[in-house]
Amino acid sequence: MALITDLDSYCVKLEQSVNQDCGTHDPDDVSAQAALFCKWFKEAGYIAREVDLGPIVGHGMFATNYEGDGEYDILLSGHLDTVFPHGTAAKRPFRRDGMKAFGPGVADMKDGDLTILWALTALSKEDRDQLRIAVCLNPDEEFGSLHSEQWIDSYARRSRYALVFESATQRGSFCDRRKGISHIDIFMHGVAAHAGFCPEKGRSAINAMAECIKRINALANENVTVNFGTISGGTVANAIASECQARIDVRFWTNEQWDEFISAFKAEFQKPFGKDIRAEYDILLVKKPMVLTKRIDELKALVNSAASALGIKASFYASGGISDGNHISQCGTPVLDSFGPRGYDCHTPDEWLDLSSVKESVDLLSKILLALKH
């Protein structure tokens, strides 16, 4: 049964999805979104199930036309969660204005998930029988896929190719590389003192952090960026601060660049940041980059051919942002990203989707799938 046959029926499903809250930190809401997509894929004739990934996050969703020990032709990856808290959908529900659609998650990435559904439900039974397709929609991508990465990768390792359906921003432009990311907390412990009566007794943790900022920023280069994103310390202006804390964001193109950075970073902490200052750090996460795999040219040729048949000139770009393509590529699976429709202003109240680009995204996926038939 074809659940989506045209843009209007696509928008019916899009409205249902957008109007269901699914912020990452609200597991029940995300699980409700997973149940919705599970129902739709089952109605379309696919094997589908919710996937329990532990008590901290909501359920993921897996759909396929094949379950066995063999290899999949392709993994189609999306995510169910948004950055918006419970209640956002009620405050600004789905809205369509001509060929624009608005609402929380409309372009990040309810649109991409539904692109997968539309293309797969449009496949004939004969075509489905000649393909092995895996679909993973995870519940925690917006916070690094910490609980779903291993689950997704278990299918990536068995797949010839993978596509990620984050929104595109330009026609025919697909992401082939993404930076890796690390978040690190830095702590400076000084000695409190009265800033007027006895400043000589104090050791400012804020001054120590200022020295740290200077030295760690100096480790950045054309490939590695460092951003001190948050900083807090002290209590009042007339007290020398005994504590100061900062969180940094580090981005890098290769695993080797990360290894070089973190080695230099640790070396800085072997040196004093000031008299009587105790310095500590905590590496919160390291997400490796999306890299060009050995067979990426095969996948690019497949995409180029499918795009050309639609009159689209395909191009490929590198991005400083991360997606599930990062860890999928680390499995050695050729992966490309940005196969969703064109979306803009994601993670903001102004987020919107260009509805004129939806059918083109569906048609492109359909052509790619048909080229993979046995």
Side-chain angles (χ1 to χ4, degrees), residues 15-144:
E15 181 173 4
Q16 289 181 261
S17 180
V18 167
N19 286 347
Q20 167 59 58
D21 282 317
C22 49
T24 314
H25 290 309
D26 296 299
D28 290 344
D29 286 348
V30 179
S31 293
Q33 190 78 210
L36 190 62
F37 273 90
C38 191
K39 172 179 176 291
W40 288 339
F41 273 96
K42 284 180 177 178
E43 289 175 352
Y46 285 82
I47 302 164
R49 61 176 176 269
E50 295 180 56
V51 181
D52 189 342
L53 295 166
I56 297 177
V57 295
H59 290 173
M61 194 230 59
F62 177 74
T64 186
N65 63 335
Y66 163 81
E67 284 199 293
D69 296 328
E71 187 180 70
Y72 291 93
D73 294 301
I74 195 163
L75 167 64
L76 306 176
S77 174
H79 65 84
L80 298 163
D81 60 321
T82 73
V83 298
F84 302 107
H86 183 84
T88 304
K91 292 178 182 177
R92 48 182 186 89
F94 176 84
R95 175 173 62 88
R96 180 176 178 179
D97 183 3
M99 294 307 287
K100 288 185 177 181
F102 300 85
V106 70
D108 188 15
M109 59 177 295
K110 278 51 179 320
D111 60 331
D113 297 339
L114 286 169
T115 293
I116 296 171
L117 179 65
W118 186 349
L120 293 194
T121 55
L123 283 175
S124 68
K125 184 180 184 305
E126 179 183 357
D127 290 334
R128 290 189 198 187
D129 290 343
Q130 298 179 68
L131 289 164
R132 293 180 175 182
I133 303 165
V135 179
C136 289
L137 305 183
N138 71 319
D140 61 340
E141 190 275 343
E142 295 294 0
F143 286 87

Side-chain angles (χ1 to χ4, degrees), residues 276-291:
D276 299 329
I277 295 292
R278 182 166 58 89
E280 298 179 299
Y281 63 86
D282 182 18
I283 301 174
L284 303 176
L285 66 88
V286 180
K287 302 293 291 184
K288 293 183 177 180
M290 177 177 167
V291 296

Side-chain angles (χ1 to χ4, degrees), residues 127-199:
D127 290 334
R128 290 189 198 187
D129 290 343
Q130 298 179 68
L131 289 164
R132 293 180 175 182
I133 303 165
V135 179
C136 289
L137 305 183
N138 71 319
D140 61 340
E141 190 275 343
E142 295 294 0
F143 286 87
S145 303
L146 298 179
H147 299 272
S148 60
E149 179 177 318
Q150 291 185 3
W151 166 62
I152 297 169
D153 289 353
S154 70
Y155 289 99
R157 293 187 183 94
R158 295 170 55 195
S159 299
R160 288 168 57 196
Y161 306 115
L163 300 178
V164 181
F165 283 79
E166 296 286 356
S167 288
T169 55
Q170 295 183 7
R171 186 173 191 255
S173 188
F174 307 104
C175 184
D176 63 0
R177 290 191 300 142
R178 290 184 179 274
K179 278 190 170 183
I181 183 175
S182 177
H183 284 170
I184 306 174
D185 277 347
I186 297 173
F187 306 90
M188 293 293 166
H189 307 283
V191 179
H194 193 290
F197 291 143
C198 51

